[in-house]
Amino acid sequence: MKSLDKKIQNAIKNMSFSAGPELDKDLWAETSRTHNEFHTIELTSDKQNMWRIIMKSKMIRYSAAAVIFLIILGGITFRPFDSLNKEQWWLGTPAVWGQEIIMELDNIETLVYREQYVFVSPYGSTHVSGTWRRHYQAKDRAVIEMYYEHTDEDTFGDVKPDSILQNVTYNFPDGNDLISYNLSYEHECYSIRELEEGAYKKDPVEDLRFYVNLLVKADRIMEMEIFDGKKCIGFEISAAKYGDNPPDWIDRIWLDIQTKLPVRIEKHGRPITDRTWATSTEIQDQFIYYADIPVDLFEPKIPVNFIYAESSDIQKAKEEMEKGQMVYAEVPPELVDATAQAMNSVGNVIFWQHIGIFQDNELKYIQSREQLVSRYDWQENVYFNEELQKSQWFITSQSDFGKTSFDFNDKNFSIAQIIVNHNRHTYKTTTYNSSSHPDNPLDRIIFLIDWFSKADIFIENEEIDGRECYGFELSAKKYGTNPDTTKHRLWFDKQTNLPVRIEDEWLEDDGPRMIVKDQFEWDVELPQETFIPDIPTDYTPEEE
Amino acid sequence: MIEDELLKWKFKSGSIDALQRIYEKYRDYLLTVSMAIVNDTSLAEDIVHDVFVTFTQSGKSFKLRGNLKGYLTTCVVNRCRDRLRSYKRRPLSLDENVQLQSDMESPDRRLISDEQSRYIAGAMSLLPYDQREVIALHINGEMKLSEIARLQNVSVSTVKGRYRYGLKKLRSVLNGRLH
C-alpha cells in the first residue's frame, strides 16, 4: 500500500505541464503589456529607497552579502538574471547593478580621463573648445595637463598628434595644505600657490561614484552609442534632482555595456561667464581605469628656462604688446541686463543685411539680403541692384527640439540648404550634419550683444531710423586674435531694448568694408510657408 | 531563494527583467498546479494568465515577506477556486479526458505534457475539490499541511483527512495503471 502511495506521490510530483510556444507567447505578451501599462521606462526615485528598505532585513542583507561574496570569489560579473536579456542589465534595478559598479570603482586607486568643453548656442551652433585637459588622479594628488589643438566638430573625440601642451598643474599635499604648481609651456613660466588646509584626500573616482549613485533617478535611458570604441548605454538626469540646479542643466552618463564602467560623462546646459545665451557642455571621456601611473609623474618638473611668473600676467602683457591697450567704457549694467532679457524673449525676426563699400567717403551697398529667421529655420533672399538673384532656405531637423538646445551627439541632426538661383533658373540642395553646418543668423547677433559689458565706447543717446537708441562700439581685438581694425557697432531701441542697427566694419587692402543689419522687425508672425522652399516648376537641378 | 529575493526587489521597482524571470521560472510550475486542480487546459491557461496579470499589476504595492513560489501558488489556488465557483465548471472525468488528450496532441498544442501527467491530472479531477487542492498544494507546491490549513481556513487535522482520503481515492483509480 505504502509503495503505491509513494508511486502516486511521485507521479503527482513529476506531473508536468508546460506552455507551448503559442501559449508562452500569448501569456508573456499579456503579462509584459500589463507591465508596460503600469510602469513607464522612467526610473523613479522610489528605487533609491529600495536598497535601504531591503537592507533593513537582516536575513536578506546576509543573503545579498553572500551573493556578492560568491561573485567576488568567482571573479565573475554579477548578472543575477543571466538567462534573461543579459545584454540589457540596465533595464534592471539601478540600485542593484549600480552597486556592482560602485564595488568595482572601489578597487580603483588611480584614474586618467580627458575633459573638454563644447559651447552651444540656443540657435543651434556649437563650438568645440580648442583646449582640452588630461587628468591624472590619485587619492591625494593630481596632475592636469592642458593641451591646445585646432578643433572643430569634425575633430572632436580624436586625439590629434599636433596637440600642443600649454599648461601643467600639479596638486599635492603638504601636511594639511595643498601645494599647487602651475607650469605654462606657452609662456615659459611657472607659479606656486599654497592653499591652507586645502589638502585633499579624496577618492579619484568620487565623482564617478556620485554619478553612478544618481542613476536611480535617471529621467530616461538614451539610445545605445559607441564611444571610445565601446558600446555604451546612456542615462539622462536633470541636475535639478541632486541640488538647487535649474531644470535645463542636464547630465548624461554613458556606461560600457560590457564592463558597466563609465565611459563618458556629459554635463549640458551649464552657463558660461559673460555669455548670456550660450551654454557649455562639459565632457569627460577616455577614462583609463586601473592606470599604472608612475609616481614621478606627480612630481613637478620645471624646465630650467622657465621664469617664476603668473602665466595670466604674461599673457596680458603679450596681448597688450600685440593688440595695444584694451579700452573699457562704463556701461550701465541695467542696460546689459535689459538687452539680454529682451533678446531672450524674442521669437521670429525679419531684417536686412547689406554689404557695403566706401566710395568717396560714402557707404554704397553692393548687395542686400533679406533675412526671415525663426529659431530653427531661416530664409534668405539675395538682391543685387534691387533685383532678386537668389533665395535660400535653411531647414533644421533633429531628434529632439526640447531639453538641450542642441545635442551634438544627435545623429539625426541636419540642416538642409536649398538654394534657388533666379539668374540661372536652377536649384541646389545641400545637407549639413552636426559636424559642420551654417549658423542661424541670430547666433552672430547674440554673440555680439554678449560683449556689451566690455564695450570700448558706450553710446548713450542716438537717433536711428527715427527711434531713440543707445548702443556701443566694440573692437574685435577683445576676442580671438582679431586686429584692432575690425569694429562692431550696435544700437538698441530705448523702448524695446532690441537691436535697431548693427554695423561690422573692417579694413581690406583697398579700403574699408561694412556689413549693416537694419530694418529689424522683431517678434513678427511668419507664415508657415516662409520656411517651405519655393522652387519654380521650370527650374532644373544645378549640375555639380 | 536569494534569487527570488532579488527578483522581488527588482520586480517591485518595475523591472521587466525581473518579471520575465519570475514568469519563466514559475510559468510551467503554475500551469501544472493549475492543471492538477482544474484539469482543463483552457481554464488552467486562463488562471495562470490572470495570476500573472494581477501579479504584474500589483507592481509597487507588492508586499511579500514570504516566499515567492508559495505566494504564486496560493494565487493560483485562490483563482482556481474562484473560477470553478463562478463558472460552475465540473472537472472532466477520466473518460472525457481522452478527448482532452487528443486535443493536446495536435501540432499547435498550447499546453505540452507527457501522457502520464495528463492521466494523473485526469485522475485528480475525480477527487472532491478540497482534496485535490490539498494534494496539489502539498505535493506540487511543497506546502506544509499546517500552511494549507491556514490557507483553507480549516484545522490541520481536516487537511490531513482531506489528504488521506484523496490519496485513498487515487489508489483505487490509479491501481495498476502507474508505471
Side-chain angles (χ1 to χ4, degrees), chain A residues 512-523:
Chain A
R513 294 272 196 282
M514 189 181 278
I515 290 178
V516 177
K517 296 183 181 80
D518 62 5
Q519 300 174 59
F520 284 95
E521 293 175 59
W522 292 100
D523 272 330

Side-chain angles (χ1 to χ4, degrees), chain A residues 59-332:
Chain A
M59 192 204 85
I60 295 168
R61 203 161 54 217
Y62 293 153
S63 302
V67 172
I68 292 163
F69 181 65
L70 284 171
I71 289 151
I72 294 167
L73 278 183
I76 54 165
T77 310
F78 179 33
R79 289 186 185 171
F81 315 115
D82 224 23
S83 61
L84 285 163
N85 289 336
K86 60 183 177 185
E87 298 303 323
Q88 296 190 317
W89 48 264
W90 54 90
L91 295 177
T93 311
V96 176
W97 52 255
Q99 199 58 26
E100 289 177 57
I101 303 173
I102 298 291
M103 284 171 61
E104 191 68 37
L105 290 175
D106 284 347
N107 298 326
I108 294 166
E109 295 194 331
T110 57
L111 183 68
V112 181
Y113 65 93
R114 185 179 69 160
E115 182 181 74
Q116 193 162 16
Y117 289 84
V118 180
F119 304 113
V120 184
S121 122
Y123 291 93
S125 72
T126 57
H127 170 71
V128 180
S129 171
T131 53
W132 58 273
R133 291 171 181 78
R134 178 89 62 201
H135 290 249
Y136 302 84
Q137 307 240 146
K139 277 195 188 303
D140 65 347
R141 59 195 65 211
V143 176
I144 304 148
E145 295 172 343
M146 189 174 88
Y147 290 88
Y148 176 81
E149 65 186 34
H150 170 73
T151 56
D152 53 34
E153 286 77 357
D154 284 329
T155 58
F156 181 76
D158 298 329
V159 180
K160 296 190 72 176
D162 58 351
S163 289
I164 300 160
L165 180 63
Q166 282 194 317
N167 223 70
V168 183
T169 302
Y170 298 87
N171 291 330
F172 56 91
D174 179 16
N176 290 329
D177 303 333
L178 183 77
I179 309 294
S180 184
Y181 276 62
N182 185 46
L183 276 67
S184 169
Y185 285 83
E186 187 185 8
H187 303 303
E188 298 187 335
C189 65
Y190 74 98
S191 60
I192 305 170
R193 288 180 188 173
E194 188 177 325
L195 185 62
E196 279 184 37
E197 302 294 323
Y200 59 79
K201 189 156 186 170
K202 80 170 194 177
D203 205 319
V205 294
E206 197 169 288
D207 291 345
L208 295 181
R209 193 179 287 114
F210 170 77
Y211 270 100
V212 171
N213 278 324
L214 266 184
L215 293 180
V216 289
K217 297 182 180 180
D219 295 307
R220 64 167 169 154
I221 299 176
M222 313 291 292
E223 280 185 25
M224 223 174 275
E225 297 266 6
I226 306 258
F227 292 115
D228 298 344
K230 298 172 184 115
K231 214 172 186 182
C232 301
I233 187 74
F235 297 82
E236 189 175 273
I237 307 154
S238 168
K241 286 191 171 171
Y242 61 80
D244 190 18
N245 300 317
D248 50 352
W249 286 20
I250 290 167
D251 298 342
R252 289 179 188 162
I253 179 165
W254 299 87
L255 306 178
D256 184 334
I257 65 164
Q258 294 299 322
T259 65
K260 300 190 180 87
L261 289 171
V263 171
R264 182 180 171 100
I265 292 170
E266 299 170 4
K267 298 174 193 174
H268 293 255
R270 298 328 199 239
I272 306 172
T273 312
D274 295 331
R275 299 285 299 276
T276 314
W277 295 282
T279 59
S280 79
T281 298
E282 181 189 328
I283 298 165
Q284 292 173 359
D285 64 357
Q286 296 183 2
F287 286 95
I288 304 171
Y289 298 100
Y290 311 105
D292 193 9
I293 306 174
V295 177
D296 64 356
L297 184 90
F298 293 103
E299 291 168 8
K301 292 162 207 69
I302 304 164
V304 286
N305 59 325
F306 277 29
I307 59 165
Y308 187 85
E310 288 287 348
S311 62
S312 56
D313 291 344
I314 294 185
Q315 183 171 359
K316 199 175 166 191
K318 277 186 178 176
E319 273 190 1
E320 276 185 14
M321 272 173 63
E322 289 164 11
K323 296 181 172 182
Q325 189 83 26
M326 297 288 182
V327 179
Y328 295 94
E330 279 194 26
V331 177

Side-chain angles (χ1 to χ4, degrees), chain A residues 30-78:
Chain A
E30 191 61 24
T31 305
S32 57
R33 190 187 62 75
T34 307
H35 180 273
N36 291 338
E37 276 176 14
F38 278 76
H39 300 84
T40 60
I41 199 163
E42 186 181 35
L43 306 169
T44 64
S45 55
D46 296 358
K47 290 174 186 173
Q48 194 186 26
N49 300 326
M50 188 62 67
W51 188 251
R52 287 188 218 115
I53 292 164
I54 58 177
M55 284 312 187
K56 279 180 186 165
S57 155
K58 204 180 259 184
M59 192 204 85
I60 295 168
R61 203 161 54 217
Y62 293 153
S63 302
V67 172
I68 292 163
F69 181 65
L70 284 171
I71 289 151
I72 294 167
L73 278 183
I76 54 165
T77 310
F78 179 33

Side-chain angles (χ1 to χ4, degrees), chain A residues 5 18 20 24 47 60 81, chain B residues 9-10 23 110 112 171:
Chain A
D5 278 359
S18 56
D24 182 34
K47 290 174 186 173
I60 295 168
F81 315 115
Chain B
W9 307 336
K10 286 171 74 78
Y23 166 81
R110 292 169 62 83
I112 299 168
R171 272 202 302 268

Side-chain angles (χ1 to χ4, degrees), chain A residues 1 5 9 12 15-20 22 24 26-27 30 35 47 54 60 67 81 84-85 92-93, chain B residues 2 7 9-10 13-14 17 20-21 23-24 27-28 32 36 49 56 110 112-113 117 140 142 163 171:
Chain A
M1 188 71 76
D5 278 359
Q9 284 168 350
I12 294 171
M15 187 167 61
S16 165
F17 289 85
S18 56
E22 193 191 327
D24 182 34
D26 290 351
L27 272 178
E30 191 61 24
H35 180 273
K47 290 174 186 173
I54 58 177
I60 295 168
V67 172
F81 315 115
L84 285 163
N85 289 336
T93 311
Chain B
I2 290 169
L7 286 170
W9 307 336
K10 286 171 74 78
S13 62
D17 251 0
Q20 191 177 358
R21 176 65 184 142
Y23 166 81
E24 289 191 348
R27 172 197 56 209
D28 293 345
T32 302
H49 164 271
T56 305
R110 292 169 62 83
I112 299 168
S113 65
S117 295
N140 299 110
E142 295 171 346
Y163 184 68
R171 272 202 302 268

Side-chain angles (χ1 to χ4, degrees), chain A residues 430-444:
Chain A
T430 310
T431 304
Y432 302 89
N433 59 24
S434 58
S435 63
S436 171
H437 58 81
D439 291 342
N440 187 303
L442 281 180
D443 261 343
R444 180 68 185 162

